[in-house]
Amino acid sequence: MELNYSGRNITVSDRFREYVDEKMTKVEQLTTKVQRIDVKVVKEAHARNQSTALSVELTVVSRGPAIRAEASGADKFAAFDVAFSKLLERLRKARDKRKVHRGNHTPVAVHEATSNLPTISTDKTLVEQTLENQAAAEAAAKEEDSQYTPVVIRRKVFPAEVMSIDDAVDRMELVGHPFYLFIDEANGSHSVVYRRHQYQYGVITLDPSLNEDDELPTEVRGYRDASVS
């Protein structure tokens, strides 16, 4: 069985090849006379959703019709796992179809299986309905493009905690963030402490009573300075 790899906008690594090679042994258990399996990895250069930026397409080529499966994911390994599951399911269905014999195992004809389904009356031809559906899909795509913006603003709301500036510095270091919002217990003001460089930190406090022309108060002190009340 021959495995062919190809990539578009991405390099197919040796680690990925080894991962796929190990999985492909299951294909030989479900079908015979496989000539080759094509594995195609595609990375969308300008994907809007990074969770589906990578796609993997698997194609089994044998004497019968080719069987394909495709899936997208955040990385090629996740996309491959989903596509491979689909491929195995389709291979099982193809194998079961080959095992069907006459009699009770004969599949039901299409006209028999659909005879009890309700008939949908319409005054439009299939071509007209198809064209209308395509037009509706194109209009929806245009509407989505018109509303798309690369700038995304997300809001998160957290409970306000009253603490000292030193405690806020400790909290910031514990969570590993470059800043930390809190209410200063010294004056009850909404403040944010942030990391500057090395062992220096800054504090910004909002005071609605101040104007732009007022002299802004500043304070410089040491961490856990005992002289600060």
Side-chain angles (χ1 to χ4, degrees):
M1 182 178 64
E2 180 184 356
L3 277 174
N4 294 331
Y5 293 90
S6 62
R8 189 175 73 188
N9 299 329
I10 190 173
T11 301
V12 181
S13 63
D14 293 338
R15 178 168 170 263
F16 180 76
R17 292 171 184 262
E18 295 174 357
Y19 183 78
V20 174
D21 290 347
E22 294 178 359
K23 296 279 188 177
M24 285 303 174
T25 55
K26 294 183 179 180
V27 174
E28 296 178 317
Q29 300 172 4
L30 295 174
T31 184
T32 57
K33 301 178 181 179
V34 177
Q35 297 175 358
R36 73 173 191 275
I37 299 178
D38 297 332
V39 181
K40 183 178 181 181
V41 184
V42 179
K43 180 179 181 182
E44 297 295 335
H46 304 288
R48 297 179 182 177
N49 189 353
Q50 292 301 316
S51 63
T52 57
L54 280 163
S55 63
V56 174
E57 179 182 316
L58 306 175
T59 305
V60 176
V61 180
S62 60
R63 291 186 179 181
I67 300 178
R68 292 186 177 88
E70 183 179 3
S72 299
D75 60 78
K76 53 181 176 290
F77 290 92
F80 169 78
D81 287 340
V82 177
F84 190 63
S85 297
K86 294 180 180 178
L87 181 67
L88 294 181
E89 181 63 25
R90 292 169 187 175
L91 289 172
R92 290 190 185 99
K93 290 182 178 179
R95 181 193 60 182
D96 295 341
K97 186 177 180 180
R98 291 192 299 268
K99 291 182 179 180
V100 172
H101 301 287
R102 295 182 181 274
N104 295 333
H105 298 285
T106 303
V108 180
V110 175
H111 69 278
E112 295 178 3
T114 59
S115 59
N116 295 327
L117 296 177
T119 303
I120 300 176
S121 59
T122 177
D123 56 351
K124 299 178 182 179
T125 64
L126 181 60
V127 174
E128 291 174 336
Q129 294 181 44
T130 303
L131 292 176
E132 287 188 1
N133 293 338
Q134 290 178 349
E138 292 176 359
K142 290 181 180 179
E143 178 68 18
E144 182 180 353
D145 290 339
S146 64
Q147 297 177 357
Y148 170 73
T149 173
V151 180
V152 178
I153 300 176
R154 292 185 175 88
R155 178 193 294 272
K156 289 186 178 181
V157 180
F158 296 92
E161 293 189 61
V162 180
M163 64 184 69
S164 66
I165 295 176
D166 300 308
D167 290 338
V169 171
D170 293 340
R171 288 286 188 90
M172 180 185 68
E173 293 296 342
L174 285 175
V175 298
H177 290 172
F179 65 91
Y180 193 84
L181 296 167
F182 68 104
I183 297 178
D184 193 344
E185 66 179 13
N187 49 33
S189 300
H190 292 78
S191 305
V192 57
V193 63
Y194 62 95
R195 187 182 298 109
R196 298 183 64 190
H197 54 83
Q198 294 183 350
Y199 296 103
Q200 296 189 16
Y201 301 88
V203 180
I204 298 176
T205 299
L206 298 179
D207 189 345
S209 65
L210 294 176
N211 298 318
E212 294 183 358
D213 298 334
D214 295 339
E215 183 179 355
L216 302 180
T218 59
E219 175 189 354
V220 179
R221 65 175 180 83
Y223 174 74
R224 300 292 181 185
D225 193 340
S227 62
V228 179
S229 57

